[in-house]
Amino acid sequence: MQTRLSFAPSAGVLRRLRADVRKLAVGLGADARIGDQLAVVVDELVNNAIEHGVVYRKHGVDLAVQVSTDQGGLKVEFYDPEMPAESVAELGRALAAAANGMPSLENERGRGLFLLSVYLQNVQAGPAAEGGLCLAGRIALQ
């Protein structure tokens, strides 16, 4: 089973989106703690897309989160259709670096990616089939 939530690239959607993904996680068999983790992950992804997307976002195309069950866990996919290919590649490299540990507190970038690596397993960023970004990872239910 999978569910896809689409929403405007606007901070005004975050409160409702966090509630929706919590409810979605529980509906897919997760406990409240996993729902909270999913809400933190989605909040971080959407905040980053809004903040960093201001330089490339031209058409206000909806962002999306897709959640599905995946062998004892939840697979989470985040889509930003307007992210340029070079930014997608840069994000993939940054995710690989974040997996090596928390960045310096003086570093303005990387803490959000490190946070994602704490909550998500097998985090990967690459081009989406329809263009833009697809960032995917997995949250274990145990």
Side-chain angles (χ1 to χ4, degrees):
M1 179 178 164
Q2 70 181 24
T3 300
R4 186 174 178 117
L5 303 171
S6 295
F7 44 91
S10 164
V13 304
L14 285 168
R15 174 178 243 165
R16 176 68 186 188
L17 184 59
R18 286 189 302 264
D20 287 347
V21 297
R22 280 186 188 106
K23 184 178 176 181
L24 175 59
V26 171
L28 291 172
D31 63 26
R33 178 183 58 85
I34 299 299
D36 289 343
Q37 289 177 5
L38 181 61
V40 167
V41 165
V42 168
D43 185 80
E44 182 64 28
L45 289 168
V46 174
N47 269 314
N48 278 342
I50 293 166
E51 178 184 345
H52 300 294
V54 74
V55 297
Y56 60 79
R57 201 165 311 288
K58 305 283 189 252
H59 305 289
V61 176
D62 281 355
L63 305 172
V65 172
Q66 184 168 297
V67 182
S68 56
T69 54
D70 178 50
Q71 300 175 355
L74 298 178
K75 182 177 181 182
V76 181
E77 296 170 289
F78 172 75
Y79 296 92
D80 183 348
E82 290 193 72
M83 182 180 271
E86 62 273 7
S87 297
V88 172
E90 181 182 323
L91 179 57
R93 291 188 296 273
L95 272 170
N100 293 325
M102 181 155 167
S104 163
L105 292 177
E106 288 77 38
N107 186 345
E108 289 300 316
R109 301 290 307 263
R111 286 183 299 280
L113 296 177
F114 176 74
L115 177 71
L116 294 179
S117 72
V118 168
Y119 287 117
L120 295 177
Q121 303 166 344
N122 307 321
V123 185
Q124 298 177 8
E130 62 275 2
L133 168 71
C134 175
L135 186 145
R138 183 179 181 283
I139 295 179
L141 291 180
Q142 301 296 332

